[in-house]
Structures are given as C-alpha cells and as structure tokens.
Amino acid sequence: MSKLVKVLKPGEFEKETYFLTDDEKFNLIPKLRESGNALYNASDYEKACEKYGQVLQFFDELMIKEKPNDVEWKKLDEQRRPILLNFVQCKLKLGEYYSAIEHATTILNSDSTNSKALYRRAKAHVGAWNIKEAKEDFETLLKVDPSLNALVKQELNLLAQAEQEKNKQDKSNLTRLFST
C-alpha cells in the first residue's frame, strides 16, 4: 500500500540539479548567491558554504563546455570570482585553511593581482602555520595594493608576535623535555 506524502502545486517542485538546463543553472546562480550571502550574514558559515559550493558547481559545469580562456569562458570565470571569494571567506571562518588556500589560489591563477584573494590566502596560510607563504602573500599584497600598507604591516606584526610566542613555547617544551 503506497502512501501520499505531499502534493506540490505547479512551481513548487524543485528539479534535481542534474536535470537543470544550462540556462536554468545560470538563472539560479544569483538566487543561490543571495541565499549564501544571507546565511553568511547570519553567521551560518557551513550552510553558506553549501550554497556557494552549489553555485561554484554550476559555474564549473558551464565552464567545462567552453574552451579555456575563450571569451565566454573568461566571462564565466570573472562572474565566478566573487563567489569563490565568498567561499574562501567561509572556509576561513570555519578554520578550513587548506581549502581556503586552494580556492584563493584558483582565483589568483586567473587574476594574480586580486587583493582580496591574496589577503585571504595569506590569512589562511597564517591559520595553517605556513609562515613563509603567508609572508610572501602579504608582501605581494603590499606591491599590488600599497593603500593596504597599514593593514598588511599590522598583520605582519601579529605574525611576528605569534612566531615569537611559538618559539618561546617550543623552547620551553624542549627545556622541559631534556630536564626530566
């Protein structure tokens, strides 16, 4: 015996994403992005990441049908970057530093002077304790956007303090280890 679970009116049914046409995917992107932004603003970074991830999947599916670096592909890539930046910011908030690094690098591969991507990748390197890479990104950021001088100097000072603190802690741990 089968049971009726729910009756949907026309327009209430949501197609599975793999049934969507390219046009439907493209038209859904702004709605999903806004939903991701609202979730981010509500500090629900996990769900915001899911929305942004879905948008990025749509872009990947649309871009794979284009020849890399052709006009259409470049247009899609430019439209994808702000969503990738939002995705990277969510990953930073969630402490998923290596994912943040990977996605910021994707942006930088096509736009090496994107200051937001450089800053966020630098912050992710700090979180992952990749000190050398973090310093390199911060110094590149200074060259790309000198107006961020005060912010970058502050970040580099915080990084230097964290390094000193870690060195003290390591020294203390070694001293304790060898004194017993």
Side-chain angles (χ1 to χ4, degrees):
M1 179 170 159
S2 56
K3 183 171 143 181
L4 180 64
V5 178
K6 186 177 183 182
V7 175
L8 296 173
K9 295 176 187 167
E12 289 183 335
F13 174 73
E14 205 170 291
K15 277 188 191 178
E16 290 293 327
T17 57
Y18 49 84
F19 287 125
L20 296 174
T21 66
D22 288 349
D23 286 340
E24 288 172 322
K25 288 175 187 175
F26 192 77
N27 291 332
L28 261 178
I29 286 173
K31 180 181 171 186
L32 291 170
R33 180 183 182 182
E34 288 306 312
S35 179
N37 291 348
L39 290 163
Y40 180 87
N41 291 333
S43 300
D44 192 344
Y45 307 120
E46 197 78 39
K47 285 186 181 163
C49 241
E50 288 174 21
K51 292 293 180 188
Y52 294 139
Q54 191 175 5
V55 173
L56 293 171
Q57 178 186 342
F58 285 173
F59 272 112
D60 288 346
E61 290 169 9
L62 294 169
M63 290 172 75
I64 203 161
K65 295 178 181 179
E66 302 296 333
K67 189 174 180 183
N69 296 314
D70 270 2
V71 174
E72 282 303 312
W73 188 92
K74 284 182 179 181
K75 253 195 256 182
L76 289 168
D77 186 47
E78 280 182 34
Q79 293 171 330
R80 177 180 70 154
R81 283 185 216 148
I83 288 105
L84 261 173
L85 282 168
N86 293 352
F87 189 73
V88 169
Q89 185 63 24
C90 284
K91 292 297 184 179
L92 279 172
K93 293 282 189 180
L94 294 169
E96 297 176 19
Y97 303 119
Y98 288 103
S99 181
I101 292 165
E102 175 188 343
H103 290 90
T105 300
T106 298
I107 296 166
L108 293 167
N109 285 340
S110 58
D111 181 8
S112 63
T113 61
N114 188 305
S115 55
K116 283 185 179 182
L118 276 167
Y119 180 75
R120 291 177 186 172
R121 187 173 73 175
K123 293 292 282 181
H125 278 306
V126 170
W129 204 249
N130 300 332
I131 302 305
K132 179 181 169 230
E133 292 85 351
K135 287 179 182 177
E136 287 172 1
D137 278 349
F138 280 130
E139 288 171 17
T140 302
L141 183 56
L142 272 178
K143 292 174 190 162
V144 167
D145 191 349
S147 71
L148 297 174
N149 186 43
L151 174 68
V152 172
K153 293 293 184 195
Q154 179 184 358
E155 291 290 349
L156 287 170
N157 286 337
L158 289 171
L159 185 56
Q161 290 172 6
E163 262 188 300
Q164 287 176 346
E165 190 58 40
K166 183 166 181 347
N167 288 341
K168 278 186 210 173
Q169 186 66 39
D170 289 349
K171 187 176 178 181
S172 173
N173 289 344
L174 283 172
T175 304
R176 227 176 313 128
L177 180 69
F178 288 115
S179 65
T180 54

